[in-house]
Amino acid sequence: MKIALAGMSHESNTFNIVKTELESFDLRDGDMFIQQGRTDSSASGFYETLVENGMDVFPLFFARTLPSGTVTLDAYEYIKSHILEKLRDGGPWDAVCLALHGSMAVEGIFDPEGDLLEAVRSVAGFEIPIVCALDMHATVTERMALLSDGYAVFRTAPHIDSFNTGERAAGVLLEILRSKKKTVNVLIKIPILVSGEQSETNVDPAKSLFESLQELDKLPEVLCASYVMGFPWADSPFGGAGALVTGWADSYEVLVKTARKMADAFWDKRAEFVYSTPAMTPEQAIQAAISAVKFPVIISDSADNPTAGASQDTTRFLRKMIESGMKNAVYTCVADSEAYAVCASHVKNDVFELTLGGRSSGKECERFTVVAELINLAESQGTSYAVMQAKGVKFIISNKRCATYFPETLRDLGLEPSSLNTIGIKAGYLSPEYQEISKQSILALTDGDTALDLRKLPYKKTPRPIYPLDLDMVF
Ligand SMILES: [Zn+2]
């Protein structure tokens, strides 16, 4: 059987005013995907599982980038037109698989995944199955539920099951193809905004809620049961979490009951979604690090988390670290191409006045001028970095926005993370790699595009009432 595979993945933070342009995307056509396919992606899980099961899989086009601001209409139209063109040229198909994030926002389009699905249907037809893999932080809409034959969704945060999700989604497709039966998706929205930092799946309530899905998958009527958490740093008319159940269309009532039970179980736990990492004010976090006895202490500057789409150019927490007098500390990292260029025009050990921060986001209050010494200039994973030092704090400047998941980046810059006293990092919950190094982890409740106190964010389009913005509500 001949199966088309395509991917579009972006988590759009609509509070970040900097738009995401096409050049930010990592674009891959089918040949590039086969040569360099990301082994950690749901697209790879789809591909390998379907090939193993004897399917002829044709990877078409893939677009993904780090979370950031709303995607421009031009960028989205380019991605969509490339997927559709290849779909049209290569057809007819027996099935289509889409590896999506599910929380993309495009200028003028709040449901681009639904829009893409509608367009894919118009080319591929309504007779063949379309199955999708989604990120756990997907914002699923009724249109998405109607236009796809099945979904599988990540079940871990931090996300370590992208590949497995592709495998499970491929399993759903294989069942549909074998049975030749019709499926349906039941979506029950749950009016809750919850951050990833309050819903890590290694602690309850997320742990037991997500574990319960394995039992639901075993029901004969169900193909795949999923929770979608939504994405709280987007002001979307479709905002909120959801219970999403793919199953056989002739068992619709059972699927509705299953989804309702899942939604009720989630709602009942709403007050238990709390920070699994100690959360405190920036000042308290710095004091805790200074008085710690085991190192390194890793403090997340949580409101400027590039992996949740923030602008990555705030400096107020860095300033507090420098002013606190802390020693043997590193702050990673401020994305500022202009400040990086100034550093790159110097040589190691030069001491000079540098202004950084607040440029791309236009946040004047984040502009910071400091006299500092250039410690190093280095490359890591295609990004250029400068390491500067002011008082006891080394701080890193990158020439562009970048992921902050990997301690390896620090090593590439000549800094051994495990020998530091304090690491300030633009992140929310720590990646598994940083968790391994950390002796004490703290969430500093800073202000910015990914503020953890959701009540501080200027939601206007998000449906109300919604928890925890409206505490006196019923579901
Ligand atoms: Zn996610």
Side-chain angles (χ1 to χ4, degrees):
M1 281 193 178
K2 190 176 151 193
I3 297 176
L5 172 63
M8 179 179 83
S9 182
H10 185 251
E11 190 174 69
S12 307
N13 182 322
T14 66
F15 297 114
N16 177 354
I17 61 163
V18 188
K19 297 281 189 287
T20 301
E21 308 276 353
L22 184 64
E23 52 264 29
S24 302
F25 281 88
D26 172 10
L27 303 173
R28 297 184 185 197
D29 62 16
D31 290 341
M32 279 172 79
F33 175 83
I34 290 170
Q35 286 158 18
Q36 323 163 353
R38 293 171 55 111
T39 52
D40 64 341
S41 71
S42 55
S44 298
F46 258 131
Y47 182 78
E48 292 194 16
T49 310
L50 292 172
V51 168
E52 273 166 24
N53 280 273
M55 301 288 155
D56 290 323
V57 187
F58 293 82
L60 304 182
F61 191 71
F62 300 84
R64 61 184 290 159
T65 187
L66 192 64
S68 49
T70 301
V71 176
T72 63
L73 188 57
D74 284 352
Y76 170 66
E77 291 292 354
Y78 181 92
I79 295 163
K80 178 179 161 186
S81 65
H82 271 65
I83 292 174
L84 294 182
E85 191 185 306
K86 286 171 185 281
L87 202 60
R88 211 173 280 122
D89 292 349
W93 304 96
D94 293 301
V96 178
C97 296
L98 297 174
L100 306 171
H101 181 286
S103 275
M104 188 190 253
V106 173
E107 289 173 315
I109 307 176
F110 277 99
D111 178 22
E113 288 86 356
D115 180 79
L116 179 71
L117 269 165
E118 202 170 289
V120 167
R121 274 283 177 221
S122 72
V123 172
F126 278 82
E127 303 75 27
I128 63 158
I130 297 178
V131 172
C132 305
L134 296 175
D135 187 280
M136 178 192 283
H137 300 111
T139 302
V140 178
T141 65
E142 280 297 339
R143 178 158 73 158
M144 289 169 69
L146 271 173
L147 288 167
S148 170
D149 291 270
Y151 284 98
V153 180
F154 296 180
R155 290 176 174 178
T156 58
H159 305 322
I160 52 170
D161 67 333
S162 320
F163 185 88
N164 311 87
T165 303
E167 283 180 320
R168 279 190 291 113
V172 169
L173 175 63
L174 291 168
E175 285 256 351
I176 295 172
L177 291 172
R178 277 179 203 132
S179 72
K180 299 196 174 73
K181 281 168 64 180
K182 284 279 171 211
T183 57
V184 66
N185 299 304
V186 174
L187 169 68
I188 296 184
K189 294 291 281 188
I190 310 167
I192 298 181
L193 293 171
V194 58
S195 69
E197 287 64 30
Q198 295 170 317
S199 52
E200 288 179 68
T201 52
N202 51 1
V203 286
D204 272 330
K207 183 172 190 285
S208 50
L209 285 169
F210 279 90
E211 280 173 1
S212 74
L213 301 177
Q214 290 169 29
E215 290 306 308
L216 298 177
D217 285 352
K218 291 177 190 160
L219 295 173
E221 299 86 356
V222 171
L223 280 162
C224 189
S226 305
Y227 280 119
V228 281
M229 304 298 283
F231 184 59
W233 296 293
D235 189 16
S236 162
F238 307 107
L244 176 65
V245 180
T246 297
W248 301 116
D250 56 11
S251 304
Y252 183 69
E253 278 181 30
V254 178
L255 305 180
V256 171
K257 277 186 191 152
T258 305
R260 184 74 223 184
K261 265 192 201 164
M262 286 168 60
D264 287 343
F266 194 102
W267 176 253
D268 290 346
K269 299 279 183 190
R270 64 192 178 284
E272 293 173 37
F273 288 105
V274 293
Y275 302 118
S276 40
T277 302
M280 53 191 84
T281 65
E283 294 76 15
Q284 288 168 334
I286 287 170
Q287 276 315 310
I290 290 172
S291 53
V293 289
K294 286 186 177 173
F295 305 108
V297 177
I298 305 188
I299 308 175
S300 296
D301 179 358
S302 60
D304 198 27
N305 174 8
T307 60
S311 58
Q312 201 183 352
D313 69 345
T314 68
T315 60
R316 279 183 285 174
F317 188 70
L318 166 62
R319 267 181 268 181
K320 284 186 202 303
M321 282 178 65
I322 294 171
E323 287 159 9
S324 74
M326 59 170 44
K327 301 214 165 27
N328 192 28
V330 159
Y331 183 87
T332 182
C333 78
V334 180
D336 186 331
S337 57
E338 280 182 51
Y340 170 78
V342 171
C343 298
S345 70
H346 285 267
V347 294
K348 280 185 196 177
N349 304 119
D350 274 2
V351 176
F352 52 94
E353 188 179 273
L354 179 70
T355 298
L356 71 155
R359 283 199 171 95
S360 66
S361 63
K363 293 172 186 157
E364 281 296 326
C365 61
E366 301 294 351
R367 202 66 59 83
F368 175 39
T369 299
V370 61
V371 175
E373 178 183 353
L374 177 65
I375 303 297
N376 199 6
L377 291 165
E379 299 275 319
S380 176
Q381 302 284 321
T383 303
S384 302
Y385 295 92
V387 182
M388 300 292 295
Q389 178 152 13
K391 298 185 182 171
V393 181
K394 292 188 177 74
F395 57 97
I396 298 168
I397 298 160
S398 60
N399 67 336
K400 59 184 180 193
R401 290 177 77 256
C402 52
T404 49
Y405 315 113
F406 305 114
E408 215 44 50
T409 308
L410 294 189
R411 296 194 181 101
D412 288 347
L413 308 185
L415 302 162
E416 173 48 48
S418 58
S419 68
L420 296 164
N421 284 20
T422 307
I423 302 172
I425 182 167
K426 288 188 184 294
Y429 53 65
L430 296 181
S431 64
E433 292 84 354
Y434 266 115
Q435 278 174 10
E436 223 167 84
I437 293 168
S438 179
K439 292 290 188 294
Q440 187 184 345
S441 307
I442 299 172
L443 290 168
L445 298 173
T446 47
D447 290 326
D449 300 334
T450 54
L452 287 178
D453 185 351
L454 302 177
R455 289 167 302 182
K456 286 186 179 171
L457 291 167
Y459 295 104
K460 291 192 178 73
K461 301 184 181 74
T462 296
R464 304 294 284 266
I466 197 161
Y467 185 89
L469 308 184
D470 308 294
L471 293 173
D472 297 324
M473 60 173 291
V474 288
F475 171 47

